Amino acid sequence: SAREGSEASPETKGLVSLLDQLVDRSSDLSPRDKLYLADAYLSAGSPAKGLALVEPILSNLQGGEKVTARLLQAKARSQAGQHPAAVGEITQLLKENVGAKEVIIARGEILESAKDYAGAIKHWQWYLDRLKRVQPRPAELYEVTDRICRLALSPSLAGEESKKILAGALRLPVYLIETDAGMPASWKQTMTRRIDEIKRRLGMVQ
């Protein structure tokens, strides 16, 4: 699209041009090759070109390749600003692949891109509840907790609903500090900072 081209840096334009050449010169690209190139187009900020590679082959794919293609399709639509379609696709894909980490993470990111911060927080909370059952505690546990706190602090959330979300988010780092003796020092500092930020937003401290 014009938007894709106008906002691209010279380096990104060079990458897109290279990808275009690879696509144009190769008449016998395998489905895996097309998925790889589609992913590269997304990384270069060209979702329309990524979709153009994925959509024609989607119905012929099976198994893991089909999951990858549908994931790329949802990401591309999100990147192109087609948020309702992207959210619908990634939500359905997660229902069918509930344990797929890539799909879980993509759904949270797509909800954030759609500015559905309350929905994104609810999704990350669901993922966090799954991570709490993993021993030893994975790094993602801290990353997702921090992400929820940052989303709760978003200026886009306001009013009574925002206070409820902030209060719910506050419990997460407090719980980790109280129960996780093995938390890395850097994460402990981050969690302490998030607690202070949320308390200030709630008017609990000056």
Side-chain angles (χ1 to χ4, degrees), residues 31-70:
R32 184 169 294 182
D33 291 335
K34 289 182 179 180
L35 294 177
Y36 177 82
L37 290 167
D39 192 28
Y41 271 126
L42 293 195
S43 297
S46 291
K49 291 185 176 184
L51 279 171
L53 281 173
V54 170
E55 290 182 328
I57 64 171
L58 192 54
S59 61
N60 297 322
L61 299 177
Q62 294 181 337
E65 284 189 343
K66 184 150 196 167
V67 172
T68 298
R70 290 173 66 193

Side-chain angles (χ1 to χ4, degrees), residues 31 70 82 95 109 112-113 116 146 156 166 171 177 186:
R70 290 173 66 193
Q82 300 169 19
K95 284 179 183 175
E109 291 172 345
E112 290 178 26
S113 294
D116 181 3
D146 185 48
S156 301
L166 282 164
R171 289 194 290 268
I177 286 176
S186 59

Side-chain angles (χ1 to χ4, degrees), residues 111-177:
L111 286 166
E112 290 178 26
S113 294
K115 294 185 168 47
D116 181 3
Y117 298 121
I121 288 168
K122 188 176 179 181
H123 170 80
W124 291 121
Q125 178 68 66
W126 169 82
Y127 185 34
L128 188 65
D129 290 342
R130 293 171 65 92
L131 291 171
K132 284 177 181 175
R133 298 196 290 266
V134 179
Q135 293 294 338
R137 284 181 163 171
E140 290 96 330
L141 183 77
Y142 310 120
E143 292 164 5
V144 173
T145 299
D146 185 48
R147 191 164 195 148
I148 291 169
C149 290
R150 286 187 284 112
L151 284 169
L153 287 160
S154 169
S156 301
L157 295 170
E160 286 304 311
E161 185 65 20
S162 172
K163 289 179 182 177
K164 287 180 186 175
I165 289 171
L166 282 164
L170 178 59
R171 289 194 290 268
L172 303 176
V174 169
Y175 170 80
L176 282 180
I177 286 176

